[in-house]
Amino acid sequence: MGRKGDRGEMAKRALIEQRPWLLASIAAAVAFYFLRDNPVGEGTWGLAAKGASVGLLALYVWLRVPSGRRGLDGALLTGALVLASAGDVAIELDFMTGGAFFAAAHVVAVALYLRNLHRRPSPSQKLIGAGLLIATPLVSWLLSGEAQIALYAAFLGAMASAAWMSHYPRYRVGTGAVLFVLSDWLIFSRLGPLDLAPLPDLLIWPLYYAGQVMIATGIVQCLRGEQPVR
């Protein structure tokens, strides 16, 4: 009975000390989604809400994983999220600068996933991983018609492929990475001849943010020992 009481107290403490940061991240993301086309959303408050969405997610990761379990993997995940948060803000000011931040975030994420590759990947996992690596830059180039976009998308595809090939749960982390790719494809479609309206306006931010949340929470579960390593 005492042990159950102790576990209950630990769960309450975790909720009080860490999970409000996740809720704050979600609140910021929802606020940005509904404010982004308003004068408020296009100014300082909008930039703050957008940057806080993934920035608070990075803080949640850092606080949610105990220091004894965090290690290099926790630092890499936090670093990737911080760089993505910077990219979220920078891309509103300068598209190329934002893309550079995101490319750096993908490099850090790839380093994390390569440290945690699946020990015995299935043939279908290998096939999908290869497909993401090749199709992501190819489709990005077809949608945008720009070589620079395809170059950036090579980093994006490497991230998604490595995430899919990692031992982290594919229904969370792998799928989250795929949502990230889909979000960027919708961005790139605005640059080329293919008109997908109104999908980009409706789905770019939800797909991207949902993907980041799935990646972050899925990896946190593994770092905390709540999800077995395969």
Side-chain angles (χ1 to χ4, degrees):
M1 191 71 180
R3 290 183 179 179
K4 290 183 179 179
D6 291 343
R7 290 174 184 172
E9 287 300 319
M10 290 175 62
K12 290 178 182 178
R13 193 177 305 118
L15 181 61
I16 293 171
E17 294 178 356
Q18 290 118 13
R19 291 195 179 151
W21 296 112
L22 177 58
L23 296 177
S25 168
I26 294 170
V30 171
F32 174 73
Y33 183 76
F34 288 106
L35 291 174
R36 69 194 193 285
D37 294 328
N38 297 328
V40 173
E42 294 174 354
T44 303
W45 288 108
L47 285 176
K50 191 179 187 186
S53 300
V54 176
L56 289 169
L57 194 59
L59 184 58
Y60 160 77
V61 168
W62 190 256
L63 295 175
R64 181 68 178 146
V65 181
S67 59
R69 286 182 172 270
R70 194 180 299 139
L72 180 57
D73 290 343
L76 288 172
L77 175 59
T78 304
L81 291 170
V82 168
L83 287 168
S85 176
D88 286 332
V89 175
I91 205 168
E92 297 291 330
L93 306 173
D94 181 76
F95 190 77
M96 295 300 294
T97 302
F101 273 112
F102 276 113
H106 297 325
V107 169
V108 174
V110 167
L112 168 62
Y113 297 135
L114 291 181
R115 282 174 46 86
N116 295 276
L117 289 176
H118 198 294
R119 294 170 182 171
R120 290 179 291 275
S122 66
S124 62
Q125 187 178 6
K126 293 179 181 178
L127 182 63
I128 295 174
L132 287 168
L133 183 64
I134 297 169
T136 301
L138 177 60
V139 173
S140 298
W141 177 74
L142 292 174
L143 287 171
S144 67
E146 297 187 13
Q148 289 178 320
I149 294 296
L151 178 61
Y152 159 78
F155 291 93
L156 175 66
M159 181 278 295
S161 176
W164 197 267
M165 292 296 293
S166 72
H167 68 62
Y168 296 124
R170 287 191 295 280
Y171 70 92
R172 294 281 291 280
V173 177
T175 301
V178 170
L179 292 182
F180 200 139
V181 171
L182 293 176
S183 174
D184 274 5
W185 279 350
L186 289 176
I187 293 175
F188 304 151
S189 72
R190 289 173 163 173
L191 305 176
L194 187 61
D195 184 6
L196 296 178
L199 293 180
D201 290 338
L202 294 174
L203 296 180
I204 286 174
W205 181 250
L207 287 174
Y208 163 75
Y209 181 72
Q212 292 283 41
V213 170
M214 292 174 72
I215 290 169
T217 55
I219 295 176
V220 162
Q221 276 193 323
C222 291
L223 293 177
R224 286 177 56 84
E226 298 168 355
Q227 177 76 28
V229 174
R230 294 171 297 168

